[in-house]
């Protein structure tokens, strides 16, 4: 029997894009024959899956799973929206979200967790689904919020099915009060977050680099007025106050009732909840956010093909 060397495994990995253990097994099954090993990987759907990994996957679904004092949101991408409407893909995303609820919520932990239906890791289960469904897919992002006492309210926008959609929001509310009433205001706040995409819960929590960049822009704008430095300083202070009001959740005008800030709405809700409420965390995941999508000019492609 041919000895399977590290160099052979490395060569097969480079040719097929498959994982190390899959390549080692393929070579062992085919007595070291490289081409036969590649065919074996293709037949198993392994090489096919990995060859698709270079294609942009910016569609897919956001999935949410919750259990009272904690909730998780995941983003599983596919190449096309058509696949996102596929029942098998929706079941996969729903299952990944449920598995994620038992982890710390990090992508690494979720990917390594066991997917009950397959007995494999989430990462390998997704790889198997790539071969079955025929598109590149990936677990791109995930996050978990929890509270010791209170609720983690959830909201899915543009829902494709229960707890699946294009935008998902979690908001953690700490309170000893009535949980039903707390969840009601939490869901409204989650809807507000979906609409306004705040940068932080409170002004002092806005990223310092982001605030500094805005301040520098305001300074340059103010200098264009030609006013004295003392006046410019006051102008910038006013603009920065307005900036923080617009990007910090609790100081934003509440979309449900614009006469109140979100902070004031939370205070009002305390009467019905029957206890103080503290917003301790929020997560907002928009499908495909930050992914550079490959744009193709279909007419140009046809014209190029016609020219041979």
């Amino acid at each position: 029997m041919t000895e399977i060397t590290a160099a052979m495994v490395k060569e097969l990995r480079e040719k097929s894009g498959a994982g190390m253990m899959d390549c080692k097994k393929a070579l062992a099954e085919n007595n070291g024959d490289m081409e036969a090993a590649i065919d074996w990987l293709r037949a198993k759907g392994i090489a096919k899956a990995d060859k698709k990994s270079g294609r942009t996957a910016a569609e897919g679904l956001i999935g949410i799973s919750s259990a009272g004092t904690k909730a998780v949101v995941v983003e599983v991408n596919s190449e096309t929206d058509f696949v996102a409407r596929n029942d098998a893909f929706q079941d996969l995303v729903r299952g990944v979200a449920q598995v994620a609820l038992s982890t710390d919520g990090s992508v690494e932990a979720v990917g390594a967790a066991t997917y009950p239906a397959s007995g494999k890791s989430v990462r390998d289960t997704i790889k198997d689904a790539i071969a079955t469904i025929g598109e590149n897919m990936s677990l791109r992002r995930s996050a978990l919020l929890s509270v010791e006492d209170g609720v983690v309210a959830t909201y899915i926008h543009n829902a494709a099915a229960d707890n699946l959609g294009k935008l998902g929001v979690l908001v953690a509310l700490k309170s000893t009060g009535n949980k039903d009433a707390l969840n009601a205001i939490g869901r409204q706040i989650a809807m507000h977050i979906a609409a306004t995409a705040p940068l932080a819960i409170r002004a002092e929590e806005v990223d310092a680099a982001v605030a500094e960049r805005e301040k520098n822009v305001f300074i340059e704008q103010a200098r264009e007025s030609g006013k004295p430095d003392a006046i410019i300083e006051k102008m910038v202070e006013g603009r920065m106050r307005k900036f923080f009001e617009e990007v910090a959740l609790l100081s934003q005008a509440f979309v449900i009732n614009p006469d109140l800030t979100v902070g004031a709405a939370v205070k009002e809700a305390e009467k019905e909840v029957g206890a103080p409420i503290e917003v301790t965390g929020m997560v907002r995941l928009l499908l495909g956010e930050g992914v550079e999508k490959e744009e193709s000019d279909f007419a140009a492609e046809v014209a190029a093909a016609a020219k041979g």
Side-chain angles (χ1 to χ4, degrees):
M1 185 174 178
T2 304
E3 180 185 0
I4 308 303
T5 66
M8 293 168 66
V9 174
K10 180 175 182 290
E11 182 181 352
L12 183 56
R13 286 191 70 188
E14 290 173 351
K15 287 184 175 181
S16 68
M20 182 178 68
M21 296 308 295
D22 288 327
C23 288
K24 187 175 181 180
K25 185 175 181 181
L27 287 164
E29 290 286 335
N30 293 280
N31 202 29
D33 186 319
M34 193 65 62
E35 295 305 314
I38 290 173
D39 289 343
W40 186 90
L41 288 168
R42 290 180 63 194
K44 298 290 184 182
I46 298 169
K48 175 184 176 183
D50 284 296
K51 285 181 178 179
K52 291 185 187 316
S53 64
R55 306 210 305 235
T56 301
E59 296 294 338
L61 287 170
I62 301 292
I64 281 178
S65 185
S66 62
T69 57
K70 66 178 179 178
V72 68
V73 57
V74 301
E75 176 182 3
V76 181
N77 292 137
S78 61
E79 292 178 51
T80 65
D81 184 58
F82 177 78
V83 164
R85 299 194 296 272
N86 179 296
D87 287 343
F89 181 76
Q90 290 184 2
D91 287 343
L92 175 66
V93 178
R94 193 177 288 111
V96 170
Q98 289 170 352
V99 169
L101 198 59
S102 62
T103 72
D104 65 7
S106 67
V107 170
E108 294 76 16
V110 177
T114 300
Y115 191 88
S118 67
K120 300 180 180 181
S121 69
V122 166
R123 190 179 298 109
D124 286 343
T125 300
I126 290 175
K127 181 177 286 189
D128 289 345
I130 293 173
T132 302
I133 295 175
E135 279 197 9
N136 185 29
M137 289 179 272
S138 66
L139 170 64
R140 180 170 175 244
R141 293 184 291 174
S142 64
L144 181 144
L145 290 181
S146 64
V147 290
E148 288 185 8
D149 194 359
V151 302
V152 179
T154 67
Y155 173 66
I156 282 281
H157 189 64
N158 286 340
D162 288 347
N163 295 318
L164 300 173
K166 301 294 186 181
L167 190 161
V169 177
L170 310 179
V171 58
L173 303 179
K174 180 181 177 182
S175 178
T176 60
N178 180 276
K179 300 305 183 283
D180 289 338
L182 192 61
N183 195 62
I185 184 63
R187 180 172 171 78
Q188 289 185 339
I189 295 171
M191 293 173 71
H192 171 97
I193 292 168
T196 65
L199 299 182
I201 296 172
R202 299 163 187 83
E204 61 269 23
E205 296 168 0
V206 174
D207 185 271
V210 172
E212 186 65 23
R213 188 162 61 247
E214 289 297 316
K215 185 176 181 180
N216 289 336
V217 170
F218 292 151
I219 288 171
E220 291 304 314
Q221 290 175 342
R223 282 176 178 163
E224 293 293 324
S225 69
K227 291 183 170 59
D229 286 349
I231 300 297
I232 288 174
E233 186 176 344
K234 291 191 178 297
M235 290 172 65
V236 171
E237 285 178 2
R239 290 180 182 181
M240 286 302 294
R241 278 196 300 272
K242 182 68 173 174
F243 166 73
F244 285 124
E245 286 176 8
E246 291 174 347
V247 302
L249 172 66
L250 296 181
S251 59
Q252 290 180 328
F254 194 28
V255 293
I256 308 297
N257 180 2
D259 291 335
L260 297 175
T261 63
V262 174
V266 170
K267 279 291 180 188
E268 284 284 314
E270 290 178 350
K271 299 172 186 174
E272 188 171 352
V273 171
I277 302 170
E278 181 185 357
V279 182
T280 61
M282 66 175 183
V283 177
R284 179 184 187 272
L285 292 191
L286 175 63
L287 181 68
E289 189 173 37
V291 176
E292 288 189 20
K293 298 184 181 181
E294 296 174 353
E295 300 294 339
S296 62
D297 186 334
F298 184 68
E301 288 178 9
V302 173
K307 291 177 182 177

